[in-house]
Coordinates of all heavy atoms in Angstrom, one line a residue:
A555 N 48.3 32.0 78.9 CA 47.0 32.5 78.3 C 45.9 32.5 79.4 O 46.0 31.5 80.2 CB 46.6 31.6 77.1
I556 N 45.1 33.4 79.3 CA 44.0 33.4 80.2 C 42.7 33.1 79.4 O 42.5 33.8 78.4 CB 43.9 34.8 81.0 CG1 42.8 34.6 82.0 CG2 43.7 35.9 80.1 CD1 42.8 35.8 83.1
H557 N 41.9 32.2 79.8 CA 40.7 31.8 79.2 C 39.6 32.7 79.9 O 39.4 32.6 81.1 CB 40.4 30.3 79.3 CG 41.4 29.5 78.6 ND1 41.1 28.9 77.4 CD2 42.6 29.2 78.9 CE1 42.1 28.2 77.0 NE2 43.1 28.4 77.9
V558 N 38.8 33.4 79.0 CA 37.8 34.3 79.5 C 36.4 33.7 79.1 O 36.0 33.9 78.0 CB 38.0 35.6 78.9 CG1 37.0 36.7 79.6 CG2 39.5 36.2 79.2
P559 N 35.8 33.0 79.9 CA 34.4 32.5 79.6 C 33.3 33.6 79.8 O 33.5 34.5 80.6 CB 34.2 31.4 80.6 CG 35.0 31.8 81.8 CD 36.2 32.6 81.3
V560 N 32.3 33.5 79.0 CA 31.1 34.3 79.1 C 29.9 33.4 79.0 O 29.8 32.6 78.1 CB 31.1 35.4 78.0 CG1 29.9 36.3 78.1 CG2 32.4 36.2 78.0
D561 N 29.0 33.7 80.0 CA 27.7 32.9 80.0 C 26.6 33.7 79.6 O 26.1 34.6 80.3 CB 27.6 32.3 81.4 CG 26.4 31.4 81.5 OD1 25.8 31.2 80.5 OD2 26.1 30.9 82.7
F562 N 26.1 33.5 78.3 CA 24.9 34.1 77.8 C 23.6 33.4 78.2 O 22.5 33.8 77.8 CB 24.9 34.3 76.3 CG 26.0 35.3 75.9 CD1 27.3 34.8 75.4 CD2 25.8 36.7 75.8 CE1 28.2 35.7 75.0 CE2 26.7 37.5 75.4 CZ 27.9 37.0 75.0
G563 N 23.7 32.4 78.9 CA 22.5 31.6 79.3 C 22.1 30.7 78.2 O 22.7 30.6 77.1
D564 N 21.0 29.9 78.4 CA 20.5 29.0 77.4 C 20.2 29.7 76.1 O 20.1 29.1 75.0 CB 19.4 28.2 77.9 CG 19.8 27.3 79.1 OD1 21.0 27.0 79.2 OD2 18.9 26.8 79.9
V565 N 19.8 30.9 76.2 CA 19.3 31.6 75.0 C 20.4 31.9 74.0 O 20.3 31.8 72.8 CB 18.7 33.0 75.4 CG1 18.3 33.8 74.2 CG2 17.4 32.8 76.2
G566 N 21.7 32.1 74.6 CA 22.7 32.6 73.6 C 23.9 31.7 73.6 O 24.7 31.8 72.6
N567 N 24.2 30.9 74.5 CA 25.5 30.1 74.5 C 25.6 29.3 73.3 O 26.7 29.1 72.8 CB 25.6 29.3 75.8 CG 25.9 30.1 77.0 OD1 26.4 31.2 76.9 ND2 25.7 29.6 78.2
A568 N 24.5 28.7 72.8 CA 24.7 27.8 71.7 C 24.8 28.4 70.4 O 25.2 27.9 69.4 CB 23.4 26.8 71.6
E569 N 24.5 29.8 70.4 CA 24.5 30.5 69.1 C 25.7 31.4 68.9 O 26.1 31.8 67.7 CB 23.3 31.4 69.0 CG 21.9 30.7 68.7 CD 21.4 30.1 69.9 OE1 21.8 30.5 71.0 OE2 20.5 29.2 69.8
V570 N 26.5 31.7 69.9 CA 27.6 32.6 69.8 C 28.7 31.9 69.1 O 29.1 30.8 69.5 CB 28.0 33.2 71.2 CG1 28.4 32.1 72.2 CG2 29.1 34.2 71.0
T571 N 29.3 32.6 68.1 CA 30.4 32.0 67.4 C 31.7 32.9 67.6 O 32.8 32.3 67.5 CB 30.2 31.9 65.8 OG1 29.9 33.2 65.4 CG2 29.0 31.0 65.6
S572 N 31.5 34.2 67.8 CA 32.7 35.1 68.0 C 32.2 36.2 68.8 O 31.1 36.6 68.9 CB 33.2 35.6 66.7 OG 33.6 34.6 65.8
L573 N 33.2 36.7 69.7 CA 33.0 37.9 70.4 C 33.7 39.1 69.8 O 34.7 39.0 69.3 CB 33.6 37.7 71.9 CG 33.0 36.6 72.8 CD1 33.6 36.7 74.1 CD2 31.5 36.9 72.9
A574 N 32.9 40.2 69.8 CA 33.5 41.5 69.4 C 34.0 42.2 70.7 O 33.2 42.5 71.6 CB 32.5 42.4 68.7
V575 N 35.3 42.3 70.9 CA 35.9 42.8 72.1 C 36.8 43.9 71.9 O 37.3 44.2 70.8 CB 36.6 41.6 72.9 CG1 35.6 40.4 73.2 CG2 37.8 41.1 72.0
N576 N 37.2 44.6 73.0 CA 38.3 45.5 73.1 C 39.2 45.0 74.1 O 38.9 44.8 75.3 CB 37.8 46.9 73.4 CG 38.9 48.0 73.1 OD1 39.4 48.0 71.9 ND2 39.2 48.8 74.0
V577 N 40.5 44.6 73.7 CA 41.4 44.0 74.5 C 42.5 45.1 74.9 O 43.0 45.8 74.0 CB 42.2 42.8 73.8 CG1 43.2 42.2 74.8 CG2 41.1 41.8 73.5
T578 N 42.8 45.2 76.2 CA 43.7 46.2 76.7 C 44.8 45.5 77.6 O 44.5 44.7 78.4 CB 43.0 47.2 77.6 OG1 41.9 47.9 76.8 CG2 44.0 48.4 78.0
V579 N 46.0 45.9 77.3 CA 47.2 45.6 78.2 C 47.5 46.7 79.1 O 47.5 47.9 78.7 CB 48.4 45.2 77.3 CG1 48.9 46.2 76.5 CG2 49.6 44.6 78.3
V580 N 47.7 46.4 80.4 CA 48.1 47.4 81.3 C 49.3 47.0 82.1 O 49.5 45.8 82.6 CB 46.9 47.6 82.3 CG1 47.3 48.6 83.4 CG2 45.6 48.0 81.6
S581 N 50.3 47.8 82.2 CA 51.5 47.7 83.0 C 52.3 46.4 82.6 O 52.6 45.6 83.6 CB 51.2 47.7 84.5 OG 50.6 48.9 84.9
P582 N 52.6 46.1 81.4 CA 53.4 44.9 81.1 C 54.8 45.0 81.7 O 55.3 46.3 81.7 CB 53.4 44.9 79.6 CG 53.1 46.2 79.1 CD 52.3 46.9 80.2
D583 N 55.4 44.0 82.1 CA 56.8 44.1 82.7 C 57.8 44.4 81.6 O 58.9 44.9 81.9 CB 57.1 42.8 83.4 CG 56.3 42.5 84.6 OD1 55.5 43.5 85.0 OD2 56.3 41.4 85.1
R584 N 57.6 44.1 80.4 CA 58.4 44.3 79.3 C 57.7 44.4 78.0 O 56.5 44.2 78.0 CB 59.5 43.2 79.2 CG 59.0 41.8 79.1 CD 60.1 40.7 79.1 NE 59.5 39.4 79.1 CZ 59.1 38.7 78.0 NH1 59.2 39.2 76.8 NH2 58.6 37.5 78.2
S585 N 58.4 44.7 76.9 CA 57.7 44.7 75.6 C 57.3 43.3 75.2 O 57.9 42.3 75.5 CB 58.7 45.3 74.5 OG 59.1 46.6 74.8
G586 N 56.1 43.2 74.5 CA 55.6 42.0 74.1 C 54.4 42.1 73.2 O 54.2 43.2 72.6
F587 N 53.5 41.1 73.2 CA 52.3 41.2 72.4 C 51.2 40.3 73.0 O 51.5 39.4 73.8 CB 52.6 40.7 71.0 CG 53.2 39.3 70.9 CD1 52.2 38.2 70.7 CD2 54.5 39.0 71.0 CE1 52.7 36.9 70.7 CE2 55.0 37.7 70.9 CZ 54.1 36.6 70.7
F588 N 50.0 40.5 72.6 CA 48.9 39.7 72.9 C 48.5 38.9 71.6 O 48.6 39.4 70.6 CB 47.6 40.5 73.3 CG 47.6 40.9 74.7 CD1 46.5 41.7 75.2 CD2 48.6 40.6 75.7 CE1 46.4 42.1 76.5 CE2 48.6 41.0 77.0 CZ 47.5 41.7 77.4
T589 N 48.0 37.7 71.8 CA 47.4 36.9 70.8 C 46.0 36.4 71.3 O 46.0 35.9 72.4 CB 48.2 35.8 70.3 OG1 49.4 36.2 69.7 CG2 47.4 34.9 69.3
T590 N 45.0 36.7 70.5 CA 43.7 36.2 70.9 C 43.2 35.1 70.0 O 43.4 35.2 68.8 CB 42.6 37.4 70.9 OG1 42.6 38.0 69.6 CG2 43.0 38.4 72.0
W591 N 42.5 34.1 70.5 CA 41.9 33.0 69.7 C 41.0 32.3 70.6 O 40.7 32.7 71.7 CB 43.1 32.1 69.2 CG 43.6 31.0 70.0 CD1 43.5 29.7 69.8 CD2 44.5 31.2 71.1 NE1 44.2 28.9 70.7 CE2 44.8 29.8 71.5 CE3 45.0 32.2 71.8 CZ2 45.6 29.6 72.7 CZ3 45.8 32.0 73.0 CH2 46.1 30.7 73.4
D592 N 40.5 31.1 70.1 CA 39.4 30.4 70.8 C 40.0 29.6 72.0 O 39.2 28.9 72.7 CB 38.5 29.6 69.9 CG 39.3 28.5 69.2 OD1 40.4 28.2 69.6 OD2 38.7 27.9 68.3
G593 N 41.3 29.6 72.2 CA 41.9 28.8 73.3 C 42.1 27.3 73.0 O 42.6 26.6 73.9
T594 N 41.7 26.9 71.8 CA 41.9 25.5 71.5 C 43.0 25.3 70.5 O 43.5 26.2 69.9 CB 40.6 24.8 70.9 OG1 40.4 25.4 69.6 CG2 39.4 25.0 71.8
A595 N 43.5 24.1 70.4 CA 44.6 23.7 69.5 C 45.8 24.7 69.7 O 46.0 25.2 70.8 CB 44.1 23.8 68.0
A596 N 46.7 24.8 68.7 CA 47.8 25.6 68.9 C 47.6 27.0 68.8 O 46.7 27.5 68.1 CB 48.9 25.2 67.9
R597 N 48.3 27.8 69.6 CA 48.2 29.3 69.5 C 48.6 29.8 68.2 O 49.7 29.5 67.7 CB 49.0 29.9 70.6 CG 49.1 31.4 70.5 CD 49.9 32.0 71.7 NE 51.3 31.5 71.7 CZ 52.3 32.1 71.0 NH1 52.0 33.2 70.2 NH2 53.5 31.6 71.0
P598 N 47.8 30.7 67.5 CA 48.2 31.3 66.2 C 49.5 32.1 66.4 O 49.8 32.6 67.5 CB 47.0 32.1 65.9 CG 45.9 31.6 66.7 CD 46.5 31.1 67.9
T599 N 50.2 32.2 65.3 CA 51.4 33.0 65.3 C 51.1 34.5 65.1 O 52.0 35.4 65.3 CB 52.3 32.6 64.2 OG1 51.7 32.7 63.0 CG2 52.8 31.2 64.4
A600 N 49.9 34.8 64.9 CA 49.5 36.3 64.6 C 49.4 37.0 66.0 O 49.1 36.4 67.0 CB 48.2 36.4 63.9
S601 N 49.6 38.3 65.9 CA 49.4 39.0 67.2 C 48.2 39.9 67.1 O 47.8 40.4 66.0 CB 50.7 39.9 67.5 OG 50.9 40.8 66.4
T602 N 47.5 40.2 68.2 CA 46.4 41.1 68.3 C 46.8 42.4 68.6 O 46.3 43.4 68.1 CB 45.3 40.6 69.3 OG1 45.0 39.2 69.0 CG2 44.1 41.4 69.3
L603 N 47.7 42.6 69.5 CA 48.2 44.0 69.8 C 49.7 43.9 70.3 O 50.1 42.8 70.9 CB 47.4 44.7 70.8 CG 47.3 44.2 72.3 CD1 48.4 44.6 73.2 CD2 45.9 44.8 72.9
N604 N 50.5 44.9 70.1 CA 51.8 44.9 70.6 C 52.0 46.0 71.6 O 51.3 47.0 71.6 CB 52.8 45.3 69.4 CG 52.7 44.1 68.3 OD1 51.8 44.1 67.5 ND2 53.7 43.3 68.3
Y605 N 52.9 45.8 72.6 CA 53.1 46.8 73.6 C 54.5 46.9 74.0 O 55.3 46.1 73.8 CB 52.2 46.4 74.9 CG 52.4 45.0 75.3 CD1 53.5 44.6 76.1 CD2 51.4 44.0 75.1 CE1 53.7 43.3 76.5 CE2 51.6 42.7 75.5 CZ 52.7 42.3 76.2 OH 52.9 41.1 76.6
T606 N 54.8 48.0 74.7 CA 56.1 48.2 75.3 C 56.0 48.2 76.9 O 54.9 48.3 77.3 CB 56.7 49.6 74.9 OG1 55.8 50.6 75.3 CG2 56.9 49.5 73.4
A607 N 57.0 48.0 77.5 CA 57.0 48.0 79.0 C 56.3 49.1 79.6 O 56.5 50.3 79.3 CB 58.4 47.9 79.5
G608 N 55.3 48.8 80.5 CA 54.6 49.9 81.3 C 53.5 50.5 80.5 O 52.9 51.4 81.1
A609 N 53.3 50.2 79.3 CA 52.4 50.9 78.5 C 50.9 50.4 78.7 O 50.8 49.3 79.2 CB 52.7 50.8 77.0
T610 N 50.0 51.2 78.3 CA 48.6 50.8 78.3 C 48.2 50.9 76.9 O 48.1 52.1 76.3 CB 47.7 51.8 79.2 OG1 48.1 51.6 80.6 CG2 46.2 51.3 79.1
V611 N 47.9 49.8 76.3 CA 47.5 49.7 74.8 C 46.3 48.9 74.6 O 46.1 47.9 75.3 CB 48.7 49.1 74.0 CG1 48.4 49.1 72.6 CG2 50.0 50.0 74.3
S612 N 45.4 49.4 73.8 CA 44.1 48.5 73.5 C 44.0 48.4 72.0 O 44.6 49.1 71.1 CB 42.9 49.3 74.0 OG 42.8 50.6 73.4
N613 N 43.3 47.4 71.7 CA 43.0 47.1 70.3 C 41.7 46.3 70.2 O 41.4 45.4 71.1 CB 44.1 46.3 69.6 CG 43.9 46.3 68.1 OD1 43.3 47.2 67.5 ND2 44.5 45.4 67.4
A614 N 40.9 46.6 69.2 CA 39.6 45.9 69.0 C 40.0 44.5 68.4 O 41.0 44.4 67.7 CB 38.7 46.6 68.2
A615 N 39.1 43.6 68.7 CA 39.4 42.2 68.1 C 38.0 41.5 68.0 O 37.1 41.8 68.8 CB 40.2 41.4 68.9
I616 N 37.9 40.7 66.9 CA 36.7 39.8 66.7 C 37.3 38.4 66.9 O 38.1 37.9 66.1 CB 36.0 40.0 65.4 CG1 35.5 41.4 65.2 CG2 34.9 39.0 65.3 CD1 35.0 41.7 63.9
V617 N 36.9 37.8 68.0 CA 37.7 36.6 68.4 C 36.7 35.4 68.4 O 35.6 35.5 69.0 CB 38.3 36.7 69.8 CG1 39.1 35.5 70.1 CG2 39.0 38.0 70.0
P618 N 37.0 34.3 67.7 CA 36.2 33.1 67.8 C 36.1 32.5 69.1 O 37.0 32.6 69.9 CB 36.9 32.1 66.8 CG 37.7 32.9 65.9 CD 38.2 34.1 66.8
V619 N 35.0 31.9 69.5 CA 34.8 31.3 70.8 C 34.8 29.8 70.6 O 34.6 29.2 69.6 CB 33.5 31.7 71.4 CG1 33.5 33.3 71.7 CG2 32.3 31.2 70.7
A620 N 35.1 29.1 71.7 CA 35.0 27.6 71.8 C 34.5 27.3 73.2 O 34.7 28.1 74.1 CB 36.3 27.0 71.5
V621 N 33.9 26.1 73.3 CA 33.6 25.6 74.6 C 34.8 25.5 75.5 O 35.8 24.9 75.1 CB 32.8 24.3 74.5 CG1 32.6 23.6 75.9 CG2 31.5 24.4 73.8
C622 N 34.7 26.0 76.7 CA 35.9 26.1 77.6 C 36.0 24.7 78.3 O 35.3 24.6 79.3 CB 35.8 27.2 78.5 SG 37.3 27.5 79.5
E623 N 36.8 23.8 77.9 CA 37.0 22.6 78.5 C 37.9 22.7 79.7 O 37.8 21.9 80.7 CB 37.6 21.6 77.5 CG 36.7 21.3 76.3 CD 35.5 20.5 76.7 OE1 35.3 20.0 77.8 OE2 34.5 20.5 75.8
V624 N 38.8 23.6 79.8 CA 39.8 23.7 80.9 C 39.1 24.5 82.0 O 39.7 24.6 83.1 CB 41.1 24.3 80.5 CG1 41.7 23.6 79.4 CG2 40.8 25.8 80.0
C625 N 38.0 25.2 81.8 CA 37.3 25.9 82.9 C 36.6 25.0 83.8 O 36.3 23.9 83.5 CB 36.3 26.9 82.3 SG 37.1 28.2 81.2
T626 N 36.5 25.4 85.1 CA 35.9 24.7 86.1 C 34.6 25.4 86.7 O 34.4 26.5 86.4 CB 36.9 24.4 87.3 OG1 37.2 25.7 87.8 CG2 38.1 23.6 86.8
G627 N 33.9 24.5 87.4 CA 32.6 25.1 88.0 C 31.7 25.6 87.0 O 31.4 24.9 85.9

Side-chain angles (χ1 to χ4, degrees):
I556 184 166
H557 293 258
V558 186
V560 181
D561 186 1
F562 290 96
D564 293 338
V565 174
N567 283 343
E569 285 82 14
V570 60
T571 62
S572 299
L573 293 182
V575 299
N576 198 51
V577 181
T578 304
V579 60
V580 180
S581 303
D583 292 351
R584 56 184 174 83
S585 296
F587 61 89
F588 277 179
T589 296
T590 56
W591 85 110
D592 64 9
T594 64
R597 173 177 61 87
T599 58
S601 61
T602 301
L603 63 82
N604 299 77
Y605 51 78
T606 57
T610 298
V611 181
S612 61
N613 195 22
I616 300 175
V617 188
V619 302
V621 171
C622 189
E623 299 290 349
V624 300
C625 297
T626 60

